[in-house]
Amino acid sequence: MATRLWSITSRLRNFWWQPFSARNFGSTPKALAGSTVDPKEVSKFTQQANEWWNGPYHLLYTMNSLRVPLVRDGILYASKIPVKKPLPLQGYKVIDVGCGGGILAEPLARLGAEVTGLDPGLENIEAAKEHASRDEEIKTRLNYVCDTIENVVTVSPGQFDAVVCSEVIEHVADVPTFVNCCVELVKEGGSLFFTTINRTTVSYFAAILGAEYVLNLVPRGTHDWNKFVQPSELSEMLKGLNCRIVSVEGMLLNPLTKTWSWCSNTSASYALHAIK
């Protein structure tokens, strides 16, 4: 207990010295040459690739209760098409950037979408493929690719009805380049969906101290507060790339039930939907 308190106290002391001014979103030395990939960040997740469908990522499963309807309804809204049942996303091409083990890609495929899961971590892609192979219903609608978004955008610009980037942007090395690639991948009139963590005092206490060090909801060291992106920053980047912001909604985690709900407060987690 004493060790934990000391660790938390040290992080708090360091936190208060960090500036709250706008970030400099330039490339960092950690990035692979010509890439937005941060190898250190990728390593965090490939080291636990065999656990994507087990305990450590439980919050991502429960977050699907919000993000799957967000993507479904957003795509149909952009297309001006009412919900089609039982496969409302049939005929739509979606790319899940930073797909990990396929936790979000699979349910989108179950809604009928043709889903490309993209991740730079080979172990993550292998885990995603193995899990999807068990489900005859969806495996033909899933295509997993181990590559960088920069490489994919050179061969598939404007090929997707929607780009999904969920809990990923806070792990990349060059945010503006990453966002630009996301926009280039989507068709005119297509949708972009981001879920991430805001860079505020609240998010530091909730997402790092609370979730990682007190409640142990996610592995320690998963997040770096300095890499969090504020909704205003992300919105401005997208507007500068000729995208229209449709909605920005807060996402609230109940730490007791480990369930998510929508809220008006975006000071911790939030979801953004934009149309190109």
Side-chain angles (χ1 to χ4, degrees), residues 26 39 41 45-47 52 65 70-71 85 119 128 133-134 141 194 217 232 258 260 267 270 272:
E41 292 283 351
F45 300 98
T46 56
Q47 287 177 3
W52 274 106
S65 65
L70 170 74
V71 175
K85 296 181 179 180
D119 199 283
S133 68
R134 309 174 192 175
R141 293 198 290 269
F194 296 86
L217 296 177
S232 58
K258 300 180 182 179
W260 296 84
S267 60
Y270 67 95
L272 184 150

Side-chain angles (χ1 to χ4, degrees), residues 106-172:
E106 285 198 12
L108 293 177
R110 289 193 184 93
L111 292 178
E114 181 183 330
V115 182
T116 296
L118 174 66
D119 199 283
L122 179 59
E123 295 89 344
N124 295 335
I125 291 297
E126 289 176 343
K129 287 181 176 179
E130 192 280 328
H131 194 272
S133 68
R134 309 174 192 175
D135 192 330
E136 293 293 332
E137 176 190 356
I138 64 169
K139 67 179 185 180
T140 58
R141 293 198 290 269
L142 279 168
N143 175 40
Y144 286 112
V145 178
C146 182
D147 208 336
T148 67
I149 191 171
E150 294 85 359
N151 288 339
V152 173
V153 80
T154 61
V155 296
S156 302
Q159 296 299 305
F160 296 93
D161 298 289
V163 172
V164 178
C165 177
S166 186
E167 308 307 299
V168 173
I169 197 171
E170 66 271 25
H171 298 290
V172 305

Side-chain angles (χ1 to χ4, degrees), residues 26 28 37 39 50 66 68 79 88 93 95 99 105 107 110 113 123 132 135 176 190 210 241:
T28 73
V37 173
N50 63 337
L66 298 185
V68 172
S79 302
K93 296 177 66 175
I95 183 167
C99 65
R110 289 193 184 93
E123 295 89 344
D135 192 330
L241 296 168

Side-chain angles (χ1 to χ4, degrees), residues 225-245:
W225 181 87
N226 291 287
K227 298 184 77 170
F228 292 168
V229 181
Q230 295 180 343
S232 58
E233 295 165 341
L234 181 55
S235 295
E236 286 307 308
M237 290 181 209
L238 290 165
K239 289 176 183 177
L241 296 168
N242 298 315
C243 294
R244 173 172 63 91
I245 308 303

